[in-house]
Amino acid sequence: MQRFIDPFLTQPDTIVLKNLLQDIDDGENHDSNQIAVTLLDALNDEKSDDFQPTVFTGWDLKGSSPQRKSNGPRLTPTLSDENTDLSRSTVLTDHSLEDSSTHIVNAKNSPLPQILYRSLLQPYIEWASKVVRRPTDVVFLTHIILYLSTSVPSAIYLYYGFTWPHGICHWLMQTYYCGSFTLMLHNHIHNNGVLAPKYAWLDKTFPYILEPLMGHTWDSYYYHHVKHHHVESNGPDDLSSTLRYQRDELKDFLIYVVRFVALIWVELPLYFLRKGKQSLAIRCIISELASYLTTYLLAKYNLRATLFVFILPLLQMRFGMMIGNWGQHAFVDEIEPDSDFRSSITLIDVPSNRHCFNDGYHTSHHLNPRRHWRDHPIAFLKAKKQYQTGRALVFHNIDYLMITFRLVRKDYDHLARCFVPIGDQIGMSHSEVVELLKTKTKRFTEEDIRKKFRKG
């Protein structure tokens, strides 16, 4: 496997990856694992000196808690303890800064001038931490403000005075935004919001404003992901299941994606009807048709603006989500395909976890769909024994889109280099890892499904 540790990994990802590498080199050490868990807990504990709210996805803050108070002598190690084994290992070098300062930013090494850091950023964090539901989640408010102040005015102006350069730039902007927005929405739909109860009016309205601009029809993500995908969990009744496809074949992949894009609008309501969930079926089809009708009427008013504001983002999102889902559920165990440990994977990478709110911890998410995104790295280390005995698959330095891309090219060599062995996998040769991965992408026949799944 590759030993490179991306300097732009989040601090928790760096702790997790170094812990796994230490297991490979020296064998599992309970004390080392407990230190790593303690450090990760400190990052989420607002009473800790190491608490770090997430404010931006691009860089991390250090010492930014607005009203930090000393808690007396510390009985457990923290990131700031120089004698802690992992303290120095969690410093991330930001090569975009001329002085090669750390990726952990405070008032002294902030890319902002100190006067702006203290007069704007710190007050913003103090205010925003009261607006969001959890003080760790200032980043959600940052993103809501960003999208409402850029996407919405840009979309409106395209209808007022369309130009091709503006249309193209708007679409590119939405392309850049859509991943982070979708994973923020992912947290929203699983936890019934992301803002404090006082701001429920904003919490309930911003998805309906932003969803169509980012390529989502109203409420469709909620109905498909929460009420369907997490119920079926890539099983035979899951409309986005990968089981019936050879997951390293381009032809199978294209059939999978095109079918979803073309038919999900009708297949999902029919699924709910088959399951006796008439209310969900009615609400689902009404939301979907209302979105299409709105897009149609806007297209009649201004086709060019609607193309860039609604149609292209919708097509892009539908294709993108299936490309991602293929990567998330491409490796399915041939013995226990109904195991969450063996039908999904864990990624330790920058795009998934820094920019998309720990979406790489997909196994952890399936184990507990309501688990807070900042808790996934801690949950992973605490359950490491279960991941090992469950023969879970872990990768680093690769995201779901690239996993899909490498699979349809049958580039198992690259995938094996990104593989992080755990438990009994430690000690496997490169060729053995390649063969292991190949066994997890084979198509399940209907007979296989009847044998492996009770519902089959």
Side-chain angles (χ1 to χ4, degrees):
M1 61 167 288
Q2 293 176 337
R3 308 289 296 197
F4 172 71
I5 298 179
D6 194 314
F8 286 95
L9 284 175
T10 63
Q11 202 168 6
D13 269 5
T14 304
I15 293 173
V16 170
L17 183 55
K18 284 183 175 287
N19 179 267
L20 296 180
L21 293 178
Q22 186 174 9
D23 288 349
I24 295 171
D25 293 337
D26 306 322
E28 188 170 1
N29 183 296
H30 175 75
D31 291 338
S32 174
N33 201 69
Q34 188 56 48
I35 289 174
V37 169
T38 300
L39 297 179
L40 290 173
D41 275 328
L43 294 176
N44 288 350
D45 182 2
E46 58 184 307
K47 296 179 181 179
S48 168
D49 287 340
D50 288 309
F51 171 66
Q52 293 179 20
T54 305
V55 183
F56 309 104
T57 56
W59 43 281
D60 301 318
L61 295 171
K62 173 64 181 171
S64 57
S65 183
Q67 294 179 331
R68 187 182 309 281
K69 294 182 180 180
S70 173
N71 296 310
R74 289 195 296 268
L75 302 179
T76 55
T78 70
L79 295 172
S80 55
D81 289 337
E82 293 183 0
N83 60 347
T84 299
D85 290 341
L86 293 178
S87 63
R88 295 182 183 180
S89 71
T90 59
V91 175
L92 310 182
T93 302
D94 184 349
H95 54 70
S96 67
L97 301 179
E98 292 182 359
D99 62 354
S100 297
S101 59
T102 65
H103 205 55
I104 309 302
V105 176
N106 55 34
K108 293 182 179 179
N109 68 4
S110 171
L112 298 175
Q114 285 196 34
I115 187 171
L116 293 180
Y117 189 95
R118 297 186 183 280
S119 62
L120 292 180
L121 186 56
Q122 288 284 13
Y124 169 71
I125 295 171
E126 183 173 359
W127 167 73
S129 63
K130 300 174 183 177
V131 176
V132 293
R133 190 171 296 179
R134 287 178 56 160
T136 52
D137 294 345
V138 172
V139 66
F140 288 152
L141 184 61
T142 303
H143 278 249
I144 292 170
I145 293 172
L146 174 66
Y147 303 144
L148 291 177
S149 61
T150 55
S151 297
V152 174
S154 176
I156 292 173
Y157 194 79
L158 277 171
Y159 282 92
Y160 174 76
F162 177 86
T163 64
W164 287 101
H166 182 188
I168 293 171
C169 288
H170 176 85
W171 178 43
L172 292 175
M173 177 177 69
Q174 298 308 99
T175 300
Y176 178 74
Y177 285 165
C178 67
S180 295
F181 170 80
T182 297
L183 273 301
M184 179 177 71
L185 183 64
H186 180 248
N187 283 272
H188 190 282
I189 62 178
H190 273 293
N191 296 288
N192 301 315
V194 294
L195 303 182
K198 181 180 178 180
Y199 299 92
W201 62 271
L202 177 60
D203 213 11
K204 294 180 184 297
T205 55
F206 86 80
Y208 291 99
I209 298 171
L210 295 175
E211 278 177 338
L213 299 178
M214 302 290 181
H216 296 275
T217 50
W218 286 313
D219 289 332
S220 62
Y221 191 27
Y222 168 76
Y223 291 126
H224 177 269
H225 185 75
V226 175
K227 295 299 184 180
H228 171 65
H229 176 63
H230 275 282
V231 173
E232 301 297 343
S233 197
N234 201 53
D237 289 344
D238 191 337
L239 296 173
S240 53
S241 173
T242 59
L243 292 173
R244 294 179 172 91
Y245 300 90
Q246 179 63 34
R247 294 175 296 281
D248 59 2
E249 284 288 345
L250 178 60
K251 179 182 177 181
D252 283 57
F253 167 70
L254 292 176
I255 293 172
Y256 172 81
V257 173
V258 171
R259 175 188 170 174
F260 181 89
V261 173
L263 298 177
I264 191 60
W265 68 275
V266 66
E267 285 190 334
L268 187 57
L270 290 176
Y271 161 85
F272 288 134
L273 288 175
R274 288 197 305 272
K275 298 295 182 178
K277 301 176 180 179
Q278 289 83 1
S279 176
L280 279 176
I282 293 171
R283 285 184 284 156
C284 177
I285 194 65
I286 288 176
S287 294
E288 195 76 358
L289 293 180
S291 296
Y292 295 151
L293 177 61
T294 302
T295 302
Y296 171 76
L297 294 175
L298 287 170
K300 289 193 68 175
Y301 172 72
N302 189 326
L303 177 59
R304 292 181 299 178
T306 304
L307 176 66
F308 286 98
V309 174
F310 295 108
I311 298 175
L312 287 177
L314 174 62
L315 292 173
Q316 179 174 264
M317 180 58 67
R318 291 281 164 99
F319 278 96
M321 292 188 76
M322 286 303 97
I323 295 171
N325 194 74
W326 186 273
Q328 289 171 338
H329 295 285
F331 299 103
V332 182
D333 189 73
E334 69 280 10
I335 306 299
E336 294 184 43
D338 56 345
S339 165
D340 286 326
F341 290 108
R342 302 189 185 194
S343 63
S344 57
I345 60 177
T346 299
L347 303 185
I348 303 174
D349 73 300
V350 173
S352 303
N353 297 339
R354 172 169 290 283
H355 297 292
C356 291
F357 309 111
N358 282 337
D359 188 43
Y361 292 89
H362 201 65
T363 300
S364 175
H365 176 60
H366 269 272
L367 291 170
N368 182 359
R370 293 179 64 87
R371 180 174 285 139
H372 188 265
W373 68 278
R374 289 266 304 237
D375 293 336
H376 285 305
I378 308 171
F380 173 82
L381 285 187
K382 286 182 176 179
K384 190 166 65 171
K385 280 290 186 184
Q386 293 173 270
Y387 279 80
Q388 292 170 344
T389 57
R391 299 179 183 174
L393 302 182
V394 180
F395 298 85
H396 74 129
N397 294 337
I398 190 169
D399 61 25
Y400 297 117
L401 303 185
M402 287 306 299
I403 281 183
T404 296
F405 174 72
R406 295 292 179 176
L407 276 175
V408 297
R409 293 185 62 204
K410 300 184 187 294
D411 189 358
Y412 285 97
D413 180 69
H414 182 86
L415 292 168
R417 290 200 301 272
C418 296
F419 183 72
V420 182
I422 61 174
D424 293 342
Q425 300 160 356
I426 296 175
M428 293 179 68
S429 68
H430 182 82
S431 60
E432 288 174 331
V433 172
V434 166
E435 292 306 312
L436 171 70
L437 297 180
K438 286 182 178 180
T439 65
K440 309 304 178 188
T441 59
K442 294 180 179 179
R443 181 203 313 267
F444 285 77
T445 66
E446 293 304 317
E447 183 179 357
D448 293 332
I449 290 173
R450 283 192 295 270
K451 290 179 179 179
K452 302 296 181 181
F453 292 88
R454 294 177 183 177
K455 294 181 182 180

